Amino acid sequence: MLRDVLGRPLRDLRVSVTDRCNLRCTYCMPASVFGPDYAFLPRQELLSFEELERLTRAFVALGVEKVRITGGEPTLRRDLPVLIGRLAAIDGVQDLAMTTNGLLLPRLAGDLKAAGLRRVTVSLDSLDPEVFGRMNGLGTHPQRVLDGIEAALQAGLGVKINTVVQRGVNDEGLRELWAALRDLAPVRFIEFMDVGNHNGWNLGGVVPSREVLAHLSGGGEPFTPVGAAYRGEVATRYADAQGREVGLISSVTAPFCGDCTRARLSAVGVLYTCLFAGTGTDLRAPLRAGASDADLRDQIAQTWQARRDRYSEERGEAAPQGSRVEMSHIGG
């Protein structure tokens, strides 16, 4: 089993298929930076479907069992169901999922399910049209995301809902959001993180997960802890009296670096071993220069075995400074 310096196995791969998005969420791709004149990656720089499949096969040969498609917004990648079908056919991929803002799911959910996608995680930060419109940067109404969630459920996809919590922004509406969505799918509340270089993060904007849970219960019947389903699960899960699940992702106040089993592949083929990394390992160059499958596996293995990242645990100590990879390049 392939392990890094801290003994963590390689089990999960996040594959970005585009750096583009049809929203401008303030904590990811603020419109002030990613405006009309922003230069996104030209198509020829993106990994082709053949290249994505080949690299995914290399990761799976080294122990990856779960693959998640990310972006940017992955549904913007042309012919995405074709790629899903190719990845779903790889022997050893036990779970194939996607993170999305849900806007294009009414058109794509059925085809994605038929191609082999099993689950989607849909981002929805507020049900208040004004708050959500401000957070997504384009005034997009939350009903469009709700329509996407409904389309995914109708197609038979598993669904989870992610909400990034920011103090003074959307924290006042969390209980209402939970009440409206808890019968549709598990809802996960994520502490505001310092990802990328442009989201204006500060510790004062973080609402600790314990505070979120207390707010959701409203002084009523407490939630019951639910045990982790697998090593490396990032959400601490709870259930209410009816068994409806809520998850808390506490990267700031309760880091989970010690069990992180995730590798991230950018849309241009750079392997990152941490969400907060500044540099990565270029796999596209050797891939396009004719490297064999064994060569690619060796490069991935060497990179993982040298991995010692634990940024969230170091954040309050001597946190690394300098430029970090944008979340729009490697997903969340």
Side-chain angles (χ1 to χ4, degrees):
M1 181 181 294
L2 191 64
R3 294 183 180 273
D4 69 6
V5 172
L6 302 180
R8 299 168 294 188
L10 174 60
R11 283 289 178 264
D12 303 81
L13 176 64
R14 296 200 156 209
V15 180
S16 174
V17 296
T18 181
D19 64 327
R20 298 173 184 265
C21 189
N22 46 2
L23 291 179
R24 291 294 180 269
C25 296
T26 54
Y27 54 80
C28 180
M29 295 179 66
S32 59
V33 177
F34 298 87
D37 297 326
Y38 184 81
F40 288 98
L41 295 167
R43 185 173 180 81
Q44 64 269 22
E45 290 193 20
L46 302 179
L47 293 179
S48 68
F49 286 180
E50 292 79 6
E51 291 170 330
L52 287 165
E53 178 187 354
R54 189 173 170 203
L55 286 176
T56 300
R57 287 185 181 277
F59 278 96
V60 171
L62 293 169
V64 162
E65 300 172 343
K66 302 175 66 175
V67 177
R68 176 173 291 274
I69 304 303
T70 69
E73 171 47 47
T75 58
L76 293 179
R77 182 71 185 257
R78 185 180 301 174
D79 297 323
L80 183 64
V82 175
L83 175 63
I84 294 297
R86 297 178 74 136
L87 300 185
I90 297 175
D91 187 27
V93 174
Q94 299 181 13
D95 185 37
L96 182 57
M98 180 176 73
T99 297
T100 174
N101 59 34
L103 299 184
L104 297 182
L105 286 180
R107 175 161 60 87
L108 290 173
D111 290 342
L112 292 169
K113 171 65 175 177
L117 190 70
R118 296 187 180 185
R119 301 183 293 115
V120 290
T121 298
V122 181
S123 301
L124 180 56
D125 297 323
S126 177
L127 293 180
D128 183 306
E130 181 180 353
V131 173
F132 184 61
R134 190 165 61 248
M135 291 186 73
N136 67 54
L138 296 179
T140 302
H141 198 283
Q143 187 59 49
R144 292 190 58 192
V145 182
L146 294 172
D147 291 344
I149 291 171
E150 180 60 28
L153 292 170
Q154 290 295 322
L157 289 166
V159 176
K160 290 181 181 178
I161 300 167
N162 275 1
T163 298
V164 174
V165 182
Q166 292 180 260
R167 190 177 300 282
V169 178
N170 65 334
D171 53 326
E172 292 299 321
L174 299 183
R175 190 175 180 190
E176 291 75 13
L177 183 143
W178 156 251
L181 301 179
R182 61 191 178 189
D183 289 318
L184 286 178
V187 183
R188 305 194 302 180
F189 295 93
I190 305 173
E191 292 179 345
F192 179 35
M193 291 184 287
D194 47 333
V195 180
N197 307 289
H198 305 292
N199 70 356
W201 184 87
N202 64 83
L203 190 58
V206 177
V207 180
S209 291
R210 61 183 180 276
E211 186 177 325
V212 171
L213 194 64
H215 186 61
L216 296 182
S217 67
E221 187 172 353
F223 288 89
T224 301
V226 177
Y230 55 90
R231 179 177 179 179
E233 185 174 23
V234 300
T236 303
R237 297 184 295 137
Y238 296 84
D240 67 4
Q242 286 72 46
R244 296 170 298 201
E245 185 179 306
V246 60
L248 303 172
I249 299 179
S250 315
S251 176
V252 178
T253 64
F256 37 81
C257 299
D259 275 335
C260 180
T261 62
R262 295 180 176 183
R264 292 174 165 83
L265 184 66
S266 79
V268 295
V270 177
L271 165 59
Y272 293 96
T273 55
C274 181
L275 178 61
F276 304 95
T279 59
T281 301
D282 183 7
L283 299 179
R284 186 186 65 182
L287 181 66
R288 293 185 176 179
S292 68
D293 290 344
D295 291 336
L296 294 171
R297 290 195 299 269
D298 286 346
Q299 181 65 74
I300 295 167
Q302 291 171 19
T303 300
W304 189 265
Q305 288 170 331
R307 175 188 187 236
R308 56 177 68 248
D309 304 281
R310 56 183 194 93
Y311 172 80
S312 289
E313 292 179 349
E314 297 173 331
R315 181 185 281 111
E317 304 167 11
Q321 301 298 314
S323 179
R324 303 190 192 110
V325 63
E326 296 295 344
M327 187 161 65
S328 58
H329 281 228
I330 58 171

